């Protein structure tokens, strides 16, 4: 978990403090670089470049405010139907890339560029792909928020200070006489006895019961396979 948090923070730092290279003249790519994380932006930029290089119009019809355009994708050697609403900027494509991956496809990008749309509509900016995504809080088995949250309450600060003091004290005992270690151990035992007045800590089975809301089954029906 520590490694995952470290990797996530490293990626977040890169998203915030570095600027990706813009590869085309389209304003919609610039907007993508402003909202998307670097990893997702790479895929979005590929769609932007393909929209310029491989997409051509093959048919067009109107129904009120809706425009239905047949777009030829030379790279895939196929035609796709793109429905676009001028009033709401909503667009759907028969390739269904938006539904599958959460980013607009080259065919929709081509339609937006043809209609002078310079930004990705907010409706199609998926939060989980954004560089400023708000992470969900993480909780331990007691239902308490961990330290990796946006807001830290007074209890968490006090617990952190207490752990720091314990670690510093143990570090001071390194290389000391056995008598000093024994004295410290006796203090810890007295401290544990005082804490016992607030109830004993939960064992593993109790922790699992609190998480899942039920006790573990005593009938074991799934066994390790024979070698």
């Amino acid at each position: 978990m520590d490694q995952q948090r470290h990797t996530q923070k490293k990626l977040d730092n890169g998203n915030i403090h570095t600027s990706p290279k813009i590869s085309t003249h389209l304003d919609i790519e610039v907007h993508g670089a402003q909202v998307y994380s670097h990893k997702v932006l790479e895929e979005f930029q590929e769609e932007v470049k393909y929209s310029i290089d491989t997409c051509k119009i093959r048919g067009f019809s109107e129904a009120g405010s809706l425009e239905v355009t047949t777009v030829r994708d030379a790279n895939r050697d196929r035609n796709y139907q793109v429905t676009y609403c001028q009033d709401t900027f909503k667009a759907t494509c028969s390739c269904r890339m938006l539904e599958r991956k959460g980013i607009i496809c080259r065919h929709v990008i081509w339609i937006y560029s043809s209609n002078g749309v310079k930004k990705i509509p907010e409706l199609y900016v998926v939060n989980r792909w954004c560089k400023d995504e708000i992470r969900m809080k993480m909780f331990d088995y007691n239902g308490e928020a961990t330290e990796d949250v946006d807001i830290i309450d007074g209890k968490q600060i006090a617990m952190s200070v207490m752990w720091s003091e314990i670690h510093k004290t143990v570090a001071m005992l390194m290389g000391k006489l056995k008598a000093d270690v024994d004295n410290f151990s006796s203090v810890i035992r007295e401290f544990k006895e005082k804490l016992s007045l607030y109830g004993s800590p939960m064992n593993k089975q109790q922790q699992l019961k609190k998480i899942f809301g039920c006790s573990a089954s005593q009938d074991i029906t799934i066994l390790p396979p024979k070698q």
Side-chain angles (χ1 to χ4, degrees):
M1 292 299 295
D2 288 341
Q3 179 63 36
Q4 292 179 14
R5 292 190 183 109
H6 172 74
T7 302
Q8 183 64 53
K9 289 178 180 178
K10 185 177 179 180
L11 292 173
D12 289 345
N13 183 72
N15 287 328
I16 296 172
H17 299 291
T18 61
S19 299
K21 183 179 179 180
I22 304 301
S23 57
T24 70
H25 63 279
L26 298 183
D27 292 329
I28 199 168
E29 182 191 359
V30 177
H31 183 236
Q34 294 171 351
V35 297
Y36 286 140
S37 66
H38 289 0
K39 188 66 176 177
V40 176
L41 179 62
E42 292 177 2
E43 190 167 358
F44 179 70
Q45 286 180 316
E46 184 178 0
E47 293 299 311
V48 173
K49 288 185 287 186
Y50 274 121
S51 73
I52 297 175
D53 298 337
T54 68
C55 292
K56 303 294 180 182
I57 187 171
R58 284 294 180 267
F60 179 81
S61 63
E62 287 184 299
S65 61
L66 293 179
E67 299 177 353
V68 181
T69 306
T70 301
V71 178
R72 179 67 177 179
D73 189 336
N75 178 256
R76 297 174 181 170
D77 194 24
R78 288 188 59 184
N79 293 336
Y80 294 93
Q81 300 294 322
V82 179
T83 302
Y84 171 65
C85 180
Q86 296 180 349
D87 298 334
T88 62
F89 302 112
K90 290 183 178 180
T92 59
C93 180
S94 58
C95 76
R96 299 297 179 184
M97 181 174 177
L98 178 64
E99 290 80 359
R100 291 184 289 107
K101 294 187 176 182
I103 59 175
I104 56 177
C105 63
R106 64 194 70 175
H107 317 114
V108 171
I109 294 173
W110 191 86
I111 295 297
Y112 280 155
S113 300
S114 301
N115 286 272
V117 179
K118 298 182 178 181
K119 291 186 177 182
I120 306 168
E122 186 176 352
L123 175 66
Y124 301 136
V125 179
V126 182
N127 182 63
R128 67 178 181 274
W129 299 147
C130 296
K131 62 174 65 178
D132 57 349
E133 174 196 5
I134 300 175
R135 296 188 195 87
M136 295 180 66
K137 295 183 178 181
M138 299 176 64
F139 299 88
D140 60 17
Y141 61 84
N142 284 321
E144 305 253 351
T146 63
E147 62 182 359
D148 191 22
V149 293
D150 299 326
I151 301 175
I152 301 178
D153 59 21
K155 178 182 177 182
Q156 290 173 298
I157 295 175
M159 293 292 290
S160 298
V161 172
M162 183 180 70
W163 276 113
S164 177
E165 292 297 328
I166 291 175
H167 284 292
K168 285 194 296 184
T169 305
V170 173
M172 290 173 57
L173 290 173
M174 296 294 293
K176 297 292 185 179
L177 297 176
K178 182 177 182 300
D180 295 329
V181 178
D182 291 339
N183 290 334
F184 180 72
S185 298
S186 65
V187 172
I188 293 298
R189 285 194 293 271
E190 293 176 4
F191 182 65
K192 287 177 64 177
E193 291 175 358
K194 291 181 180 180
L195 288 179
S196 64
L197 300 175
Y198 298 95
S200 58
M202 292 188 294
N203 57 35
K204 184 176 181 179
Q205 294 298 328
Q206 292 172 328
Q207 294 171 12
L208 293 175
K209 182 177 180 181
K210 185 170 184 178
I211 293 173
F212 298 109
C214 61
S215 301
S217 174
Q218 299 300 320
D219 299 329
I220 300 177
T221 57
I222 301 176
L223 302 175
K226 296 181 180 179
Q227 296 294 328

